[in-house]
Amino acid sequence: MSAGPFPLRSLCRDCLADHDAAVPLRRCPACGSPRLIRHTERDTLSLAHIDCDAFYATIEKRDDPSLQDKPVIVGGGKRGVVSTCCYIARTYGVRSAMPMFKALKACPEAVVIKPDMAKYVAVGREVRRMMRELTPLVEPLSIDEAFLDLSGTERLHHASPAATLARFARHVEAELGITVSIGLSYAKFLAKVASDLDKPRGFSIIGRAEAVGFLADKPLGLIPGMGPASVAKLAEGGFRLIGDLREAPVDKLFRLAGKDGPRLKNLANGIDPRQVTPERETKSVSSETTLDVDLARFEELEPILWRLCEKTSKRLKAQELAGRTITLKLKTADFHIITRAARLPEPTQLAARLFTAGRDLLKRECNGAQYRLIGIGTSDFSPPGDADHGDLADTATPRLKAMEGALDKLRARYGDAAIGKGLSLRLPQRPAGSAISRKAPEEEDPDA
Ligand SMILES: [Mg+2]
């Protein structure tokens, strides 16, 4: 992106030739391609974010070449929203998460395809396997994107991280028939921002020297995880651009953004010390809480179990996992641990289904024993596409799935607190003056 001193080496993303030139090249002298990577810090950066381009839609186009030049939307089904749309559909204003009727109004000629999650998961696994050939330090963020730390891999690949990544992008296109965009930087946040700069088939670099200047005039929404609510809150305090946060008083940021305040200020200054943490294979996803006072009655434990189910469900969804075995964990007042498991007819991600299974298990253990801890976990995982279809005898599950999906969206928009309460109110009320009404128990995150 920056000019900088010459000669600058220009790496061709198509033929991988690397050229020295006294002036910036417009095209590769070897193959004529204009897709050159040139940056002063090109060979000193090793933290990458790789993101597949319009993942589901690209896979569908690969599998049906007649779709190549058509606007393609993957989505629909019960929730009636766009999952992914191709870049042609985007030129009509179609976006992911848009209601399908709106998308089709914007682009009536779009070809709508029902998601085939099993297929996408299989391609996602292949991409991940190829990433692991570059470095063991691969941290997946979702089915189609990951952070990679390529430091120290020069000798293994006989190439700088930038050249290794360019080769990877070419390799994915040839092997899997899909495309990726790559961001290369020195920090996670900037690598992620960079990968989005010239999608599809992008390759962008944000170096140390330019980071702060680059960020200065960008909107706060560019910061990953900044939702409209947080952006609005910071705007109240006069912060609109990332650069506005650079010199912000920490106490003021703390008032507006809470614990996130110092992090935001750091990001505005190009500081993001987070490391790439490789994925451990997840064997179980669970939530548990130690109670303030020991409890024995089912009616008192039930609402706590509900909250833990909501939390576990949220984690399952975040990790794109669905569990079939549900495990209830209890610790008695004298520290004996009891676990009871049930197997569902199909895998689930839904809080309501975890709860139904969990409360049956709990009921049987409420036999007078006092408990100091309660937890709910899931294991025996499948991809989310296999979960919660119901069957002829179970027509409630698809409805529950639609309802939870709608609530999840509201939560994403307005925050957990407002919505969580609404649903929890539908549970039997605990008796007045019961032990837990004095103070809500602190929840613990065993997998955090
Ligand atoms: Mg993507």
Side-chain angles (χ1 to χ4, degrees):
M1 236 165 289
S2 71
F6 298 111
L8 265 187
R9 298 180 72 78
S10 295
L11 175 70
C12 176
R13 290 156 60 195
D14 286 310
C15 75
L16 302 176
D18 201 1
H19 303 278
D20 265 333
V23 292
L25 296 170
R26 290 178 158 230
R27 288 183 175 274
C28 170
C31 77
S33 163
R35 302 173 70 234
L36 300 175
I37 308 171
R38 186 173 45 234
H39 192 283
T40 44
E41 295 180 41
R42 190 192 77 180
D43 293 329
T44 64
L45 300 169
S46 55
L47 205 154
H49 178 253
I50 301 182
D51 186 19
C52 298
D53 301 322
F55 189 53
Y56 303 169
T58 307
I59 293 172
E60 295 300 344
K61 286 194 178 203
R62 174 195 74 178
D63 293 349
D64 180 356
S66 78
L67 298 173
Q68 207 51 52
D69 302 321
K70 295 187 179 135
V72 168
I73 296 175
V74 178
K78 294 222 159 56
R79 281 168 59 177
V81 296
V82 175
S83 291
T84 315
C85 53
C86 74
Y87 289 89
I88 300 174
R90 288 180 202 194
T91 63
Y92 291 83
V94 180
R95 294 287 177 271
S96 358
M98 188 182 255
M100 197 55 94
F101 77 90
K102 246 181 155 172
L104 287 173
K105 215 164 155 189
C107 183
E109 59 269 60
V111 180
V112 179
I113 297 173
K114 255 179 62 186
D116 179 350
M117 287 310 298
K119 178 160 80 173
Y120 310 148
V121 167
V123 180
R125 289 212 177 106
E126 275 304 290
V127 176
R128 206 164 289 176
R129 184 189 58 73
M130 289 165 72
M131 288 173 172
R132 292 212 184 88
E133 288 174 359
L134 307 186
T135 168
L137 297 180
V138 175
E139 179 182 337
L141 295 180
S142 73
I143 184 173
D144 75 323
E145 57 177 315
F147 287 116
L148 285 80
D149 183 346
L150 289 138
S151 53
T153 63
E154 287 85 348
R155 276 181 54 199
L156 175 67
H157 300 301
H158 307 288
S160 67
T164 298
L165 289 163
R167 184 180 297 275
F168 172 83
R170 221 177 65 141
H171 192 193
V172 168
E173 288 186 17
E175 294 293 314
L176 302 177
I178 61 167
T179 64
V180 301
S181 290
I182 293 171
L184 178 61
S185 189
Y186 63 93
K188 275 184 165 178
F189 158 53
L190 291 160
K192 184 158 167 71
V193 167
S195 72
D196 208 34
L197 287 179
D198 80 326
K199 268 181 159 291
R201 297 184 86 210
F203 196 122
S204 298
I205 296 178
I206 300 178
R208 287 188 169 79
E210 71 200 318
V212 170
F214 168 85
L215 292 169
D217 62 349
K218 300 295 182 296
L220 293 177
L222 191 74
I223 297 174
M226 278 284 265
S230 323
V231 170
K233 193 94 218 262
L234 285 160
E236 282 170 26
F239 302 110
R240 274 176 192 82
L241 303 174
I242 297 180
D244 298 338
L245 300 171
R246 258 166 66 193
E247 312 278 341
V250 173
D251 54 333
K252 188 173 178 186
L253 275 184
F254 197 84
R255 273 201 310 280
L256 294 169
K259 277 187 276 183
D260 214 21
R263 180 184 78 101
L264 295 176
K265 183 169 179 171
N266 274 339
L267 292 180
N269 286 291
I271 300 166
D272 178 4
R274 290 174 304 153
Q275 310 234 321
V276 174
T277 321
E279 171 187 51
R280 294 171 289 150
E281 207 197 329
T282 309
K283 292 271 198 301
S284 74
V285 172
S286 61
S287 312
E288 61 182 45
T289 182
T290 298
L291 307 169
D292 275 352
V293 290
D294 298 344
L295 296 176
R297 294 179 49 214
F298 176 74
E299 293 73 22
E300 291 178 323
L301 289 163
E302 190 191 27
I304 301 170
L305 177 68
W306 168 252
R307 277 212 317 277
L308 294 171
C309 289
E310 284 192 301
K311 215 162 162 180
T312 303
S313 161
K314 192 173 168 186
R315 291 186 178 156
L316 284 170
K317 289 165 188 164
Q319 298 189 46
E320 302 193 30
L321 294 171
R324 190 157 174 198
T325 299
I326 313 299
T327 306
L328 174 77
K329 178 177 168 188
L330 293 162
K331 197 189 278 176
T332 61
D334 55 356
F335 295 91
H336 281 295
I337 291 174
I338 300 169
T339 57
R340 298 287 180 260
R343 195 169 147 84
L344 300 179
E346 63 172 347
T348 190
Q349 292 191 303
L350 302 180
R353 290 185 96 185
L354 300 177
F355 181 63
T356 308
R359 86 200 283 230
D360 287 347
L361 297 170
L362 176 63
K363 215 169 226 165
R364 272 176 255 151
E365 301 309 318
C366 289
N367 47 17
Q370 296 275 340
Y371 296 114
R372 55 178 290 119
L373 174 148
I374 177 169
I376 188 92
T378 56
S379 54
D380 187 7
F381 294 128
S382 307
D386 297 349
D388 301 314
H389 294 293
D391 56 30
L392 285 178
D394 170 16
T395 52
T397 291
R399 278 205 305 275
L400 275 175
K401 187 177 182 173
M403 190 182 85
E404 276 199 34
L407 283 169
D408 290 341
K409 269 200 228 146
L410 289 172
R411 284 201 182 96
R413 199 145 170 191
Y414 300 109
D416 272 347
I419 318 295
K421 247 182 210 156
L423 200 62
S424 302
L425 279 180
R426 302 170 51 200
L427 287 163
Q429 294 297 295
R430 59 180 179 244
S434 78
I436 49 169
S437 63
R438 273 184 261 139
K439 190 183 155 209
E442 257 317 291
E443 273 160 35
E444 289 158 15
D445 297 358
D447 357 87

